[in-house]
Amino acid sequence: MRDLLREALAEARTGLAEGGLPIGSVLADTQGRIVARGHNLRVQSGDPTAHAEVACIRNAGRRRDWRKLTLVSTLSPCVMCTGTALLFKIPHVIVGENRNFQGAEELFHRAGVSLTVLDDGECIALMRDFIAAHPDLWNEDIGE
């Protein structure tokens, strides 16, 4: 799990370096091989739906094995990203942290999705520092 989270963190850092939000995601198969990557592209693309998890799932393309994949995100997914994962019946979600933002985790629980929150210090610090430095971008991202 930690190796996959490190890959999602690399995506988050890419988003930050591009001038966007530092949120990253990867999608992995049952052997732990990454099948898709994504990071928040909302600022870069002007697309309000281009959150990390949605970008990652888009990058996975057309698939029939969604029910065998694991979605990893540096931050607890919002309701839109949670809904996208639920739509494709992704059975396991790994979250780097949910202290800075707790998304729609209760929807995962109600749907029987296995949710693992790693409470990763690097993920926590990355988002905390970003929110402090760019509250306007953060509030825009979560619809405030």
Side-chain angles (χ1 to χ4, degrees):
M1 281 191 257
R2 295 276 176 190
D3 289 340
L4 292 172
L5 182 60
R6 297 289 155 241
E7 294 297 322
L9 268 164
E11 287 294 321
R13 285 189 210 93
T14 298
L16 183 61
E18 294 171 353
L21 281 81
I23 305 168
S25 185
V26 296
L27 201 55
D29 66 14
T30 55
Q31 274 67 53
R33 292 181 298 237
I34 294 173
V35 300
R37 301 169 175 272
H39 55 274
N40 189 300
L41 292 165
R42 192 185 53 76
V43 172
Q44 301 92 310
S45 68
D47 177 355
T49 68
H51 286 198
E53 301 87 350
V54 170
C56 182
I57 290 169
R58 282 181 186 153
N59 289 339
R62 294 178 62 194
R63 308 186 67 89
R64 293 183 182 258
D65 63 345
W66 296 106
R67 293 174 194 232
K68 296 178 183 175
L69 300 178
T70 296
L71 180 67
V72 182
S73 180
T74 57
L75 185 66
S76 182
C78 73
V79 70
M80 175 182 68
C81 296
T82 298
T84 303
L86 291 174
L87 175 68
F88 291 104
K89 297 182 175 43
I90 296 171
H92 187 208
V93 176
I94 299 170
V95 172
E97 71 106 345
N98 64 1
R99 291 189 191 192
N100 288 294
F101 177 76
Q102 185 164 13
E105 294 178 11
E106 74 282 352
L107 294 178
F108 284 133
H109 293 300
R110 278 193 253 153
V113 171
S114 169
L115 178 68
T116 304
V117 179
L118 298 177
D119 203 30
D120 182 82
E122 192 172 350
C123 290
I124 293 166
L126 186 63
M127 277 311 300
R128 181 192 62 230
D129 295 348
F130 179 83
I131 292 168
H134 306 283
D136 54 331
L137 287 179
W138 172 245
N139 287 331
E140 184 182 324
D141 197 64
I142 59 171
E144 297 277 326

